[in-house]
Structure formats: structure tokens, C-alpha cells
Amino acid sequence: MNYKWARDFTLQLIDRYSTAGALVPAHYNDQADCLARIPKLLDDAQMLAATTAAPILASEALGALRCDENGGWLVYTLPGDCREMSSAGLVRYEGEYFERYHRYRIVGANKFAVPKGLGGEIHVEYFRYPRLLGEAPGDTDELDNTPEVQMALPYYAAAYLVMGDDPFAFAALSNEFEARLAKLKKRPHAEISIVQDAYGA
């Protein structure tokens, strides 16, 4: 879904999109001010969703990350859009072999270390920040996150456009946004794998 869709839906939710079938012009009342606020409100909603109920999982090969040596360890810097590493561990491929690798150490706020000599192709999974629209998005600029998250974003933007004029509409739209986010929380799932012997037996 793109910015034009989200902008138009936001205006439709508060009856500011059209009158008698004709689009409300930007110069009418404070329509231009509403249009100027929508990108920031959508970005605020995207950030809120991605850092709470709908985190965005990403993956990057260690070979693409900055790496520094420190004794017997290789210290990697996480990607710039990383919010936090996934607790599921690193993903290690070696031929037909696959494992979740957990012998890594967090270093500071944005780095992690793995032992030298670790074979195979290794990827780090992490939760990233959303790609924001910015202050002047184009009509075809895409929203981030999943379609169900994108469907919820206009409710947040619409709520804050009417907050000062209509407390009832603000509450109704905010509650709808929060209800949609609450339904997005993923169910827990089991992952079957071999348990490593921490004592090396």
C-alpha cells in the first residue's frame, strides 16, 4: 500500500476527502494543514507499530557487516536500522547443516561478538526500524511493515487530525488503531532442534 492510499483513507475517515463527490481542494479551510501533517502522523504510527505489537524481522549476512578483531573474537556492528537482535540466535548454514547458533556475546548497544574460526555462512536476525515516508512523500512511496499493519495506520493519523476538534472521534479512532495493533501480536510457536550440551560432553 502506498502513501496516496493512506492519505486518502485518512481523510475519508474524518470526512475531509470529498464533498458531494468532489475532492476537497487544498485551499479550502485548513485542508492544506491537514495534508501537511499526514506524513508525520503516518510515520509516527509506523514507528509505534514496529516497536510494539508488530516488529519487523530482518536478516543480514555477517560478511556484509563491519567486523573488528578482538583477541579470539570477531566483533560485528549491527546494521544501522537495527532496533534489537532477535533472541532466536544467529542462523548458521554449512552445506546441508543448519543450526541456531547461540554462542555469541552482546557488546555495547549495537555490536555482538562470535568466536574466530566459526565455519559456514552465518546470518544475524534482528528487528529493524521501519522505513519512514519523510516530510514530502510521493504518491507511490510504499508504507512499511505488513499489509494488516498498513491498514491500521490511517486510523492513528485520522485520530490526531481531529483531536482538538472532536474528542469523541479522537477516542473512537485511537481505540480502533489500538485494537487493530492488539490483534497483530504473533502467537508463540515451538521450534524443534537439537539441544547443545553446555558442558561439552
Side-chain angles (χ1 to χ4, degrees), residues 1-8 35 39 133 136-143:
M1 297 171 187
N2 59 32
Y3 172 65
K4 181 181 184 304
W5 171 86
R7 180 197 64 209
D8 292 351
L35 291 170
L133 294 165
D139 284 354
T140 59
D141 287 359
E142 292 293 319
L143 301 172

Side-chain angles (χ1 to χ4, degrees), residues 51-71:
T51 56
T52 55
I56 306 171
L57 185 63
S59 177
E60 188 69 78
L62 296 199
L65 303 178
R66 174 184 168 180
C67 178
D68 299 296
E69 294 188 21
N70 191 340

Side-chain angles (χ1 to χ4, degrees), residues 89-100:
L90 304 177
V91 180
R92 180 171 170 248
Y93 305 91
E94 192 165 15
E96 297 182 358
Y97 182 73
F98 168 90
E99 72 167 338
R100 291 281 183 182

Side-chain angles (χ1 to χ4, degrees), residues 62 73 85 87-92 97-105 113-116 118-119 122-123 196:
L62 296 199
W73 296 80
M85 281 183 65
S87 61
L90 304 177
V91 180
R92 180 171 170 248
Y97 182 73
F98 168 90
E99 72 167 338
R100 291 281 183 182
Y101 184 79
H102 295 278
R103 197 186 166 210
Y104 64 88
R105 297 290 181 268
V114 298
K116 281 184 181 178
L118 186 61
I122 304 171
H123 293 246
Q196 294 181 350

